[in-house]
Amino acid sequence: DVKVTQSSRYLVKRTGEKVFLECVQDMDHENMFWYRQDPGLGLRLIYFSYDVKMKEKGDIPEGYSVSREKKERFSLILESASTNQTSMYLCASSTLGTGLNTEAFFGQGTRLTVV
Amino acid sequence: EDQVTQSPEALRLQEGESSSLNCSYTVSGLRGLFWYRQDPGKGPEFLFTLYSAGEEKEKERLKATLTKKESFLHITAPKPEDSATYLCAVHDPKGATNKLIFGTGTLLAVQP
């Protein structure tokens, strides 16, 4: 079975802290994604990466950065956490090719609360 | 504009009462339409991929169908354990990186 594992299910951080969310996948997927999910807004793409050390901004990158030093690991960094970054964060991975088996698989999510 | 719209936003069914969820899309050159199930507080779970109009996929009480403009998720004789949010997504046609464009989901509640 495909496995996407996020390092924490729940996190509580203080305003101004630097926060690291880690994600690991075991399917040798080229693509990895970070989304946030908020009630009424759906899933919004923060950043994605299609190769090691490659990254592209998604729809809402402000206040976030990412790191992909190894193919299986994709980290989301909140440089200085703010209360409006309280949300559910979801990591996903998929292949880069076209055709069959291009679906994305998600981790279990990290519920981050910034106080 | 490329987008995905799901309806209804919420649906309440009695156990055994069949119904359908809708996902309409406006993207050029569809490369895949995906259905996911999401339970509260968890990540989305992949259900189906549809690639071309006329295609159908089934899994237990769920059947997904695809036309050139929309997809339906048919739920036959649902049970309370089918209660979840169902998400629809398509590949973003811009670029070849397989980014997904998601709808906002349909919250399904099946009452015993």
Side-chain angles (χ1 to χ4, degrees):
Chain A
D1 270 358
V2 173
K3 200 98 172 167
V4 179
T5 304
Q6 295 182 228
S7 54
S8 304
R9 287 294 309 276
Y10 301 95
L11 276 178
V12 180
K13 296 292 181 181
R14 295 195 180 277
T15 302
E17 274 193 78
K18 191 169 186 177
V19 181
F20 293 86
L21 302 183
E22 308 286 342
C23 175
V24 176
Q25 53 97 1
D26 67 357
M27 277 298 291
D28 201 34
H29 284 161
E30 295 86 0
N31 287 336
M32 295 189 75
F33 308 87
W34 276 106
Y35 294 87
R36 66 176 283 177
Q37 187 176 32
D38 301 287
L41 297 177
L43 278 92
R44 293 181 291 167
L45 183 63
I46 305 171
Y47 267 98
F48 72 101
S49 169
Y50 53 89
D51 200 354
V52 174
K53 297 191 186 294
M54 303 303 291
K55 60 185 179 184
E56 285 196 21
K57 294 179 180 179
D59 301 317
I60 51 164
E62 297 78 19
Y64 303 95
S65 63
V66 290
S67 173
R68 193 164 180 200
E69 297 296 319
K70 294 185 177 182
K71 189 175 185 180
E72 67 271 18
R73 187 178 297 270
F74 193 35
S75 302
L76 179 69
I77 304 154
L78 285 67
E79 298 291 343
S80 177
S82 64
T83 54
N84 62 13
Q85 292 179 310
T86 292
S87 186
M88 169 72 98
Y89 289 87
L90 292 161
C91 175
S93 72
S94 74
T95 63
L96 186 56
T98 57
L100 301 178
N101 302 320
T102 56
E103 55 270 11
F105 294 90
F106 283 82
Q108 76 275 30
T110 297
R111 171 71 65 183
L112 173 66
T113 303
V114 182
V115 298
Chain B
E1 181 187 355
D2 301 316
Q3 64 180 18
V4 175
T5 304
Q6 291 187 247
S7 62
E9 288 186 13
L11 181 63
R12 183 171 294 184
L13 300 174
Q14 292 296 125
E15 185 172 2
E17 179 186 2
S18 302
S19 188
S20 297
L21 314 183
N22 178 265
C23 171
S24 63
Y25 60 92
T26 54
V27 295
S28 54
L30 184 72
R31 294 189 290 113
L33 185 141
F34 308 89
W35 282 99
Y36 290 85
R37 170 194 170 123
Q38 187 176 24
D39 293 306
K42 296 188 177 180
E45 175 190 348
F46 169 71
L47 292 173
F48 303 111
T49 309
L50 301 166
Y51 292 100
S52 56
E55 190 175 359
E56 298 183 354
K57 293 270 181 75
E58 284 190 67
K59 180 179 180 180
E60 296 181 356
R61 295 176 293 282
L62 300 177
K63 183 168 83 171
T65 61
L66 181 65
T67 72
K68 288 187 177 180
K69 292 185 178 180
E70 58 192 348
S71 176
F72 292 93
L73 186 65
H74 306 277
I75 304 177
T76 301
K79 298 182 177 181
E81 53 262 43
D82 295 320
S83 298
T85 296
Y86 290 86
L87 297 167
C88 170
V90 300
H91 277 144
D92 188 333
K94 295 185 287 292
T97 56
N98 292 343
K99 285 191 299 178
L100 292 176
I101 302 172
F102 278 90
T104 52
T106 294
L107 176 61
L108 174 66
V110 182
Q111 297 184 314

